[in-house]
Amino acid sequence: MASHSRGQFSSKLGFIMAAAGSAVGLGNVWGFPTKAASNGGAAFLVIYLVMVFALAFPMLVAELTIGRYGQSNPISSLKKIWSKQPAIAATFGLIAILTASFILSFYSIIAGWLMGYAVAPSLDFIGFADAAIWVTSFSDSRNVVLAVLFSLLTVFVVQKGIADGIEKWSTRLMPLLLALFVLMIVYIFTQDGAMEGLKMYLIPDLSHINGGLLVDSMGQAFFSLSLGCGSMMVYGSYLSKDVNIPRTAAQVASIDTGIAFTAGLLILPAMYVAKQNGVEIFNDAGQLKSSTDLVFTVLPSMFDTMGGIGILLGLCFFVLMVIAALTSSISMLEVPVSCAQDELNWNRSTATWGIGGVILLVSVIISLNFGALFGLVVDVTTVYLQPLLGAVWAVFVGWIWHRNKLLGEIKQGNPEIADSLFWKIWPWYVRFICPVAILMVFIYPLI
Ligand code: TRP
């Protein structure tokens, strides 16, 4: 068990910002718009919203509560809940840690691309045109180098520890990102073609809804709220006892969903504007040519049409996105690091560099086998493992955890909860609906 004292977030706002920082990242600006664009736009949006509020939000409450109760890393917290079966609890904790680590390994690659796009205009400006092309063109060397740089940044922040590192980074920059989005949306709406994208995004064509879309949108909701693999348990363990968990979870879920929605409001119209400007977005059959780098085609093409101001805006946007990705990646690395600290008694710096190094190695392997591994790792971890682990946590909370202990924990910071509507619905909901619904979504496309 922990021999060192546990870090804590210094204020409620600090926690909300850190948890929102974990949630807001590539999932919102790269994952969500890309999936929406390839799944009929509004149809995906509608189902996604249902998934967030019906499945992801209740599970966010569950994960934060498990973490705060356990006051420890996911392995110990889960063992504390299922004290009769510590080995099984620890095994699930371990799967969660591995999932978080694999997610980080592909996340660094995409975040590396963001770094490339952030520096490209400046490189161009000071005369390094070849370098600017290199950092924005797909190649093994570019993917590896930038992923390494991003991983080092992540390790650097995590190594500095909880309040210093994580909170400081998360606190002020999210509102700035949102402001920038609004500015870009206003601009893109003045361009030819934007309305076509807007229609696609906001007017649902329900014929697009099918089993695959359900599975995709559920995975996206779990990914975007950083669920299933322990990040929110770890953050919950750093949360002070006077915080109202359901309310905080609702705030975090709203911020995250608001930013994803806003990103869609920019990217889908920008896609059609880019098409008008001659960028190849769709193939002859009208399908997206490439989904992985859609955002990286569409946005630079938009900044190009804006002249000098576009260079500045592009720079700000990509720098802020790198920071948003960083506040997410640190929450992933924090999962294995907190386990190594508590369970193996490693000190923070050994744990961070050691584990960060191994994950980095995996990133390099994925980069060098991009075609074979990237999509596979993304799908296995985000589409399948995250929701399935979510179902496991639902079983922990709903079936294994003693109801009075659960109430005791969630009551702290929220003394009136025993009489609230939330308490009448949520435990029952997590017990029956969440695990069954998650499994049904997976089974539905098979039948
Ligand atoms: N939610 C983040 C995003 O949208 C990614 C993320 C952070 C994450 N921590 C996580 C995903 C833990 C899965 C598990 O970009």
Side-chain angles (χ1 to χ4, degrees), residues 70 128 155 160 184 192 217 230 243 245 253 256 258 261 306 339 347 355 360 365 380-381:
F128 292 106
V155 166
K160 292 191 65 139
M184 295 194 291
D192 281 350
S217 57
V243 166
I245 292 183
D256 184 66
F261 176 75
M306 300 169 101
C339 286
N347 69 36
I355 295 167
L360 176 56
I365 295 174
V380 170
T381 53

Side-chain angles (χ1 to χ4, degrees), residues 199-213:
K199 266 194 216 139
M200 176 191 177
Y201 187 44
L202 296 181
I203 303 176
D205 171 357
L206 298 183
S207 70
H208 283 282
I209 297 179
N210 56 39
L213 184 146

Side-chain angles (χ1 to χ4, degrees), residues 323-378:
I323 293 167
L326 197 58
T327 58
S328 300
S329 63
I330 54 184
S331 76
M332 296 171 207
L333 185 55
E334 190 67 27
V335 178
V337 164
S338 69
C339 286
Q341 267 187 295
D342 296 343
E343 304 293 314
L344 307 173
N345 261 317
W346 290 10
N347 69 36
R348 192 165 185 94
S349 140
T350 316
T352 317
W353 284 102
I355 295 167
V358 173
I359 295 175
L360 176 56
L361 201 66
V362 178
S363 284
V364 172
I365 295 174
I366 296 175
S367 298
L368 296 178
N369 301 280
F370 194 88
L373 292 183
F374 183 83
L376 182 72
V377 175
V378 173

Side-chain angles (χ1 to χ4, degrees), residues 103-118:
I103 290 177
L104 178 54
S105 69
F106 78 74
Y107 206 82
S108 304
I109 300 175
I110 304 288
W113 296 356
L114 285 173
M115 291 173 62
Y117 281 92

Side-chain angles (χ1 to χ4, degrees), residues 100-338:
S101 306
F102 274 102
I103 290 177
L104 178 54
S105 69
F106 78 74
Y107 206 82
S108 304
I109 300 175
I110 304 288
W113 296 356
L114 285 173
M115 291 173 62
Y117 281 92
V119 296
S122 316
L123 285 173
D124 214 18
F125 187 71
I126 55 173
F128 292 106
D130 289 346
I133 293 174
W134 182 77
V135 290
T136 51
S137 316
F138 193 97
S139 71
D140 284 354
S141 57
R142 188 268 317 236
N143 291 350
V144 169
V145 170
L146 295 181
V148 169
L149 285 176
F150 183 80
S151 307
L152 290 178
L153 261 177
T154 305
V155 166
F156 182 74
V157 180
V158 171
Q159 194 235 318
K160 292 191 65 139
I162 187 74
D164 274 6
I166 297 175
E167 209 180 308
K168 220 196 270 167
W169 282 95
S170 306
T171 319
R172 283 199 186 81
L173 292 157
M174 293 300 116
L176 206 58
L177 185 66
L178 199 61
L180 220 54
F181 265 123
V182 172
L183 216 69
M184 295 194 291
I185 290 169
V186 170
Y187 170 78
I188 206 75
F189 281 1
T190 66
Q191 301 293 301
D192 281 350
M195 288 309 130
E196 203 180 333
L198 192 63
K199 266 194 216 139
M200 176 191 177
Y201 187 44
L202 296 181
I203 303 176
D205 171 357
L206 298 183
S207 70
H208 283 282
I209 297 179
N210 56 39
L213 184 146
L214 292 183
V215 175
D216 267 5
S217 57
M218 179 168 74
Q220 178 60 33
F222 275 74
F223 182 75
S224 200
L225 284 178
S226 310
L227 295 175
C229 39
S231 277
M232 289 300 179
M233 284 185 206
V234 176
Y235 275 29
S237 78
Y238 299 134
L239 186 56
S240 84
K241 293 277 184 189
D242 58 1
V243 166
N244 179 333
I245 292 183
R247 184 193 297 150
T248 307
Q251 284 161 335
V252 171
S254 311
I255 294 173
D256 184 66
T257 308
I259 297 207
F261 176 75
T262 314
L265 220 43
L266 172 71
I267 308 276
L268 278 88
M271 227 165 85
Y272 284 85
V273 173
K275 182 181 151 208
Q276 290 263 333
N277 293 336
V279 181
E280 282 187 48
I281 304 280
F282 302 97
N283 63 18
D284 294 337
Q287 276 149 351
L288 282 182
K289 272 188 72 180
S290 159
S291 51
T292 311
D293 54 9
L294 172 76
V295 172
F296 297 92
T297 317
V298 162
L299 289 177
S301 127
M302 176 186 82
F303 294 129
D304 276 351
T305 64
M306 300 169 101
I309 192 97
I311 297 181
L312 191 68
L313 212 59
L315 175 72
C316 295
F317 175 77
F318 282 114
V319 168
L320 283 174
M321 272 314 300
V322 170
I323 293 167
L326 197 58
T327 58
S328 300
S329 63
I330 54 184
S331 76
M332 296 171 207
L333 185 55
E334 190 67 27
V335 178
V337 164
S338 69

